[in-house]
Amino acid sequence: MRLIQLSDIHFGGENAEAVAAAGAWIRAAAPDLVVVAGDLTLDGRACEFDAAAAWLETLPRPMIVTPGNHDTPFVGPGELWERFTRPWRRFCDRFGAEDGARWRGPGVTLTTLNTARAAQLRLNWSKGAVGQDQIRRVVDELEAAPAGDLRIVVCHHPLMEILGGPMTARVHGGVGAAKQFVKAGADVILSGHIHLPFVTPLPFGDGRTQAIGSGTLSQRERGAAPGFNVIEIAPGYVRVTAMAYAHGDFEAWRTWAVDRRP
């Protein structure tokens, strides 16, 4: 099975050439699933959501989308009112539930976790948070997955800080959530937010749960060219290839291969 992992496209500040080339590449690849791990927009404006929805509509199905911290309105008085009263309406109108979306394919069980918040009791609302109800729901879904399935959680913020990353996620409850997800059998946690691709094992349990982050297709680059991930799932391993935009097309920038649990 082959998945495409996108995040941080930031329509309103997207790299238009890279977005167009990515669309063509993904359509030609015909993946089994497209995963979008948040920050579809730059400022959460309706026109940005419309642009994101129009582009995603051109990509293969099935598709799973979860929001990021940029995907709720926050520019101007009217936008702030919407942020505090109906923060996910624009997202849900176009992409469905902002939390708890599910998908199952041959040998794969996937669920989403919304780590973004409209407001928090700290100055930087862009950072992530995980609630206890969310943790319980995800744990229940992981534990209910058929034996042998690759169990995937999709969220926007990395649940733990990435060593050497260009920015922080500082997810309230993130470490506790990661521990619980590992205990429940999570194999892969897909995220975005830091605009840099990575693959790293979580330091809990048997060390086989992999945190996988994708890059950005926006102009907000942080040390890597615009890109996305191609994830190949085989019986004994998972291979992740970070694709990077160069000279009008995408080419492999880095590849990781990790063993699956027996």
Side-chain angles (χ1 to χ4, degrees), residues 133-153:
D133 289 345
Q134 291 181 296
I135 294 174
R136 284 190 289 269
R137 175 186 57 77
V138 172
V139 165
D140 288 346
E141 292 171 7
L142 293 172
E143 292 179 340
D149 268 19
L150 189 82
R151 295 164 169 85
I152 301 176
V153 180

Side-chain angles (χ1 to χ4, degrees), residues 10-22:
H10 287 298
F11 277 93
E14 78 276 17
N15 184 318
E17 291 184 1
V19 167

Side-chain angles (χ1 to χ4, degrees), residues 38-62:
D39 276 3
L40 289 84
T41 69
L42 184 63
D43 293 325
R45 296 180 185 273
C47 60
E48 295 169 354
F49 274 114
D50 288 341
W55 183 70
L56 291 179
E57 187 62 32
T58 71
L59 302 186
R61 293 304 192 265

Side-chain angles (χ1 to χ4, degrees), residues 1 21 24 38 47 74 84 96 108 116 140 150 160 162 176-177 179 190 196 221:
M1 180 172 288
C47 60
F74 65 93
F84 289 120
V108 175
D140 288 346
L150 189 82
M160 298 182 64
I162 303 305
K179 290 179 179 178
L190 303 181
L196 191 70
E221 298 173 21

Side-chain angles (χ1 to χ4, degrees), residues 26-242:
I26 294 167
R27 287 189 291 273
D32 298 288
L33 177 68
V34 175
V35 175
V36 187
D39 276 3
L40 289 84
T41 69
L42 184 63
D43 293 325
R45 296 180 185 273
C47 60
E48 295 169 354
F49 274 114
D50 288 341
W55 183 70
L56 291 179
E57 187 62 32
T58 71
L59 302 186
R61 293 304 192 265
M63 178 182 293
I64 285 286
V65 186
T66 191
N69 53 281
H70 279 262
D71 294 326
T72 189
F74 65 93
V75 176
E79 300 287 278
L80 285 174
W81 174 254
E82 177 111 353
R83 180 188 187 98
F84 289 120
T85 59
R86 298 182 295 179
W88 307 114
R89 182 184 66 85
R90 296 176 183 180
F91 178 91
C92 294
D93 285 350
R94 295 161 177 84
F95 307 114
E98 80 279 7
D99 190 43
R102 304 176 182 88
W103 182 82
R104 183 166 191 275
V108 175
T109 292
L110 180 150
T111 187
T112 69
L113 169 69
N114 183 11
T115 56
R117 297 293 185 266
Q120 300 182 59
L121 293 176
R122 54 176 166 173
L123 291 177
N124 192 339
W125 294 349
S126 73
K127 305 305 181 183
V130 184
Q132 290 301 312
D133 289 345
Q134 291 181 296
I135 294 174
R136 284 190 289 269
R137 175 186 57 77
V138 172
V139 165
D140 288 346
E141 292 171 7
L142 293 172
E143 292 179 340
D149 268 19
L150 189 82
R151 295 164 169 85
I152 301 176
V153 180
V154 181
C155 51
H156 178 63
H157 298 83
L159 297 178
M160 298 182 64
E161 298 307 317
I162 303 305
L163 185 64
M167 65 180 297
T168 61
R170 294 178 183 166
V171 178
H172 277 328
V175 173
K179 290 179 179 178
Q180 291 297 313
F181 297 165
V182 169
K183 186 177 179 180
D187 296 292
V188 171
I189 300 178
L190 303 181
S191 64
H193 189 63
I194 67 172
H195 293 205
L196 191 70
F198 64 84
V199 177
T200 187
L202 294 180
F204 309 119
D206 59 6
R208 293 286 184 91
T209 301
Q210 302 293 328
I212 300 175
S214 48
T216 180
L217 288 175
S218 76
Q219 300 178 44
R220 300 160 65 96
E221 298 173 21
R222 297 194 179 102
F228 56 88
N229 288 344
V230 179
I231 302 175
E232 298 168 276
I233 301 169
Y237 64 89
V238 174
R239 179 183 291 119
V240 181
T241 302

